[in-house]
Amino acid sequence: MPETTPPPWHAAATADVIARLETAETGLSAAEARRRHLDAGPNRLPRPPKRSLFVRFLLQFRNILIYVLLAATAVTLAMGHLADAAVIFGVVLINALIGVIQEGKAEKALDAIRDLLSPAAAVRRDGSLVTVPAEELVPGDVVVLQSGDKVPADLRLFAIRDLRIDEALLTGESVPAEKRTDPVATDAPVGDRAGMAFSGTLVTSGQGRGVVTAIGKDTEIGRINAMLQEVQTLTTPLLRQVDQLAAWLSTAVVLLAAATFGFGILLRDYTAGEMFLAAVGLAVAAIPEGLPAIMTITLAFGVRHMARRQAIIRRLPAVETLGSVGVICSDKTGTLTRNEMTVKTVITINGMFDVGGSGYRPQGGFSRAGTDIEPHDFPQLTAITRASLLCNDAALTQENDDWRLTGDPTEGALLTLGMKAGFNPTREEERQPRTDVIPFESSHKYMATLHHDHAGGAVIYLKGAPERVLEMCSWQRDEGDDLPLDRGFWHEQLDLAAGRGQRLLAVAVRTADPELRELTPAMVDGGMSLLGIVGIIDPPREEAIAAVRRCRQAGITVKMITGDHAVTAAAIGREMGIGDGRRV
């Protein structure tokens, strides 16, 4: 019987993966890991073949005009004009040196992709958990992941708990991917391979264990690295024009010199030696030896200006190509947007509130129907922002002017919302200490926390997917009073908010027995009171909006490329002034 090709790792059951890799959930032995390391090599991205400094220097002379100048240098030197020859050759040499220096700087910047790999990994060897350099990982190793870890290799997950991983560098999705252990379809794209953890991505929450299926160049990030090395080098419009000018000029100079030589000998009876010197002098004088220097200096100034704006220009002539651009295609997440989730809308029974500010900086006000308001004047808004802050596992820390998030980006957005409303996370946690928690899991789509205050009261806060939370609610809270839930009203509000391209979360509350100390799913599955709904989005960068506006004024069309839902992409596009809301 013909052999059947085994399914890819993401489509295979974890038991089959472990069997194929000849390992176990307890990991490899140290001796077996050393043997496999010798066979597989180090877990690092291969460096592309490097051209030596001398070769890069020689390649700077690969230009027709430079060839002509070198020929002019040789002829001028043969004629005994040492000063002229030195000037012409000096121009050519300076041009080459500037090109070599700039290319070297760009190569160092592009090498930074190799830093995406994790420097260390927690693995099970000989049944014990040890930390080893990521370069020593081999296929079959069992890696343990914790919140905050960078995934050190491509893994097939076989045990997880609330594991979510930020895969924006591979998929462009700003929301961390929820992980599972089930196999998926063979042709599933990278973003849908829920049972895999990919090298270079970041664990935002939860825990997990997985077996290494690929290292180094065989990982997804390694495949991208290989594709970058295969990018075809195109000739820029400027170089094409210079080559064309050099060809025409060289032809014209040769023809003119030949005509002058023939004219002097045939019609003026000069000797061949005299006319040769005259023709060569004419040819040297006609060549614009200052053109390469002027062009190189101009391009160098352009590259330096771009470098100040954090743009990497690998080769000098490429900076000129920007002047010929008619269409710019840009990634969305992290490029046009901040890759920082932000609450933009809060919906309560009293109406819809808009939230200002963006990112995790807790600055921004609240407005209603275009009028600025104070959140503490609206009890329902105060209640939902406090609940969002307390039913939360994220943390924000300030480093100079930057705010750093530890935890899930969605929870970071809710924490920032509470701080914008004037709540201090530390003080609120002291007022209502958490007693117990039901962590978020994709199976039940919510998170719930139990809190007790110092007056003997107890309360349960809950947040999660709106459709799930609405099933768990019997009431809606209106300024402290619980009224029967108006499901029609809330479904209408959900449709309106979804049309704005926002990710929605519902927040609910319930008064608990003061003696309660342990929270179970049965205690929240019914009888909750809905506080409201928050709409979250990855907001566009202010500087990106301004850049798009300037591009349009310059006649450049900007297109956004994203794997997001079409409604979300259209909403971001409208806000940035990109396109007309259509998917192309």
Side-chain angles (χ1 to χ4, degrees):
M1 293 181 63
E3 293 185 5
T4 58
T5 303
W9 301 117
H10 60 269
T14 54
D16 294 336
V17 171
I18 291 173
R20 282 168 56 187
L21 290 169
E22 299 180 358
T23 184
E25 292 187 10
T26 54
L28 300 171
S29 66
E32 176 64 14
R34 285 193 296 270
R35 187 190 68 77
R36 295 191 184 194
H37 184 66
L38 292 175
D39 292 338
N43 174 34
R44 61 169 177 252
L45 298 180
R47 293 187 176 274
K50 292 276 188 175
R51 292 185 298 220
S52 68
L53 183 63
F54 180 68
V55 171
R56 283 195 288 138
F57 177 73
L58 290 181
L59 289 176
Q60 304 302 318
F61 296 89
R62 194 171 53 184
N63 181 287
I64 294 179
L65 192 59
I66 298 296
Y67 296 156
V68 174
L69 288 176
L70 289 174
T73 301
V75 173
T76 306
L77 188 62
M79 295 173 62
H81 301 297
L82 299 181
D84 291 341
V87 169
I88 297 173
F89 186 73
V91 167
V92 174
L93 188 62
I94 291 172
N95 175 80
L97 290 175
I98 294 177
V100 168
I101 292 171
Q102 173 57 31
E103 189 173 328
K105 290 181 179 178
E107 291 287 352
K108 288 181 180 179
L110 292 174
D111 282 344
I113 190 172
R114 270 169 285 277
D115 294 335
L116 291 172
L117 294 182
S118 174
V123 300
R124 298 194 70 85
R125 295 270 175 90
D126 291 319
S128 301
L129 186 64
V130 296
T131 300
V132 301
E135 286 193 358
E136 296 181 7
L137 288 180
V138 296
D141 260 329
V142 172
V143 176
V144 177
L145 300 175
Q146 301 279 351
S147 179
D149 287 349
K150 187 178 285 187
V151 180
D154 283 3
L155 311 176
R156 178 63 169 94
L157 300 168
F158 61 81
I160 61 170
R161 178 171 180 178
D162 309 327
L163 183 64
R164 283 184 277 184
I165 299 179
D166 181 358
E167 298 178 345
L169 78 97
L170 293 177
T171 66
E173 293 288 349
S174 55
V175 177
E178 298 177 10
K179 292 301 177 179
R180 302 188 299 273
T181 58
D182 303 326
V184 297
T186 301
D187 58 352
V190 171
D192 292 339
R193 298 175 188 175
M196 298 291 297
F198 297 105
S199 178
T201 57
L202 182 67
V203 179
T204 59
S205 63
Q207 303 170 341
R209 282 181 292 156
V211 58
V212 175
T213 57
I215 61 173
K217 63 181 178 62
D218 297 324
T219 62
E220 282 297 318
I221 194 68
R223 187 175 65 86
I224 293 174
N225 183 57
M227 291 170 62
L228 288 175
Q229 296 176 29
E230 296 170 0
V231 172
Q232 182 180 0
T233 301
L234 301 178
T235 304
T236 68
L238 176 63
L239 288 183
R240 287 198 298 268
Q241 292 171 4
V242 169
D243 287 346
Q244 189 178 45
L245 172 64
W248 289 350
L249 186 62
S250 302
T251 303
V253 166
V254 170
L255 292 176
L256 181 60
T260 302
F261 182 82
F263 177 81
I265 291 178
L266 298 176
L267 300 179
R268 298 299 182 186
D269 296 327
Y270 287 107
T271 64
E274 291 174 328
M275 288 313 302
F276 178 77
L277 290 176
V280 168
L282 178 63
V284 171
I287 294 173
E289 60 270 10
L291 178 60
I294 294 173
M295 185 176 72
T296 299
I297 292 171
T298 302
L299 293 177
F301 274 117
V303 168
R304 186 177 178 184
H305 182 69
M306 295 295 291
R308 285 199 297 265
R309 295 173 174 265
Q310 310 302 315
I312 299 173
I313 305 296
R314 189 173 186 178
R315 304 185 192 280
L316 281 177
V319 72
E320 173 271 338
T321 309
L322 296 176
S324 306
V325 168
V327 177
I328 295 176
C329 295
S330 174
D331 174 46
K332 179 183 79 69
T333 305
T335 305
L336 296 176
T337 63
R338 299 176 61 91
N339 197 20
E340 296 177 348
M341 304 302 288
T342 303
V343 175
K344 301 299 290 183
T345 304
V346 178
I347 305 172
T348 72
I349 194 63
N350 305 124
M352 181 180 293
F353 300 88
D354 294 317
V355 185
S358 62
Y360 302 127
R361 184 185 299 274
Q363 296 176 1
F366 294 78
S367 62
R368 184 181 183 188
T371 303
D372 293 341
I373 58 102
E374 288 294 329
H376 291 285
D377 292 337
F378 296 83
Q380 276 304 103
L381 184 58
T382 301
I384 193 172
T385 52
R386 177 186 281 116
S388 299
L389 183 142
L390 289 172
C391 187
N392 202 309
D393 285 331
L396 287 172
T397 55
Q398 186 176 10
E399 298 179 7
N400 298 323
D401 292 333
D402 294 329
W403 287 81
R404 303 286 184 181
L405 170 68
T406 302
D408 181 77
T410 299
E411 292 199 325
L414 295 176
L415 182 59
T416 304
L417 173 70
M419 295 173 70
K420 287 178 180 178
F423 293 113
N424 182 296
T426 303
R427 193 173 302 129
E428 291 302 314
E429 290 168 3
E430 291 173 351
R431 283 185 63 250
Q432 291 183 293
R434 181 188 295 187
T435 309
D436 198 13
V437 60
I438 300 177
F440 180 89
E441 290 184 8
S442 56
S443 58
H444 56 237
K445 298 182 179 180
Y446 68 82
M447 171 185 178
T449 54
L450 172 64
H451 300 261
H452 287 78
D453 59 31
H454 301 289
V459 63
I460 299 172
Y461 292 121
L462 179 143
K463 72 172 188 293
E467 64 276 7
R468 180 69 181 104
V469 174
L470 283 174
E471 293 175 357
M472 304 165 73
C473 291
S474 305
W475 313 93
Q476 60 191 29
R477 184 154 295 186
D478 185 4
E479 299 189 4
D481 296 325
D482 287 338
L483 307 176
L485 184 67
D486 185 350
R487 298 185 183 275
F489 168 81
W490 289 108
H491 283 294
E492 181 180 341
Q493 296 302 314
L494 288 174
D495 292 339
L496 289 174
R500 302 172 72 174
Q502 297 177 349
R503 184 187 182 209
L504 305 179
L505 283 178
V507 183
V509 66
R510 180 180 181 179
T511 302
D513 185 340
E515 301 301 320
L516 182 65
R517 288 293 181 272
E518 185 176 345
L519 200 56
T520 65
M523 297 174 184
V524 296
D525 197 4
M528 300 293 295
S529 297
L530 185 65
L531 290 174
I533 296 167
V534 296
I536 306 173
I537 202 166
D538 182 10
R541 297 177 181 270
E542 295 297 328
E543 60 270 29
I545 295 176
V548 169
R549 183 169 57 249
R550 288 196 297 270
C551 287
R552 297 186 64 174
Q553 291 171 350
I556 300 172
T557 301
V558 180
K559 297 182 182 294
M560 180 174 68
I561 300 174
T562 178
D564 278 359
H565 192 280
V567 173
T568 303
I572 293 292
R574 284 193 298 270
E575 192 168 350
M576 300 200 68
I578 296 176
D580 55 6
R582 294 184 301 109
R583 181 172 65 177
V584 295

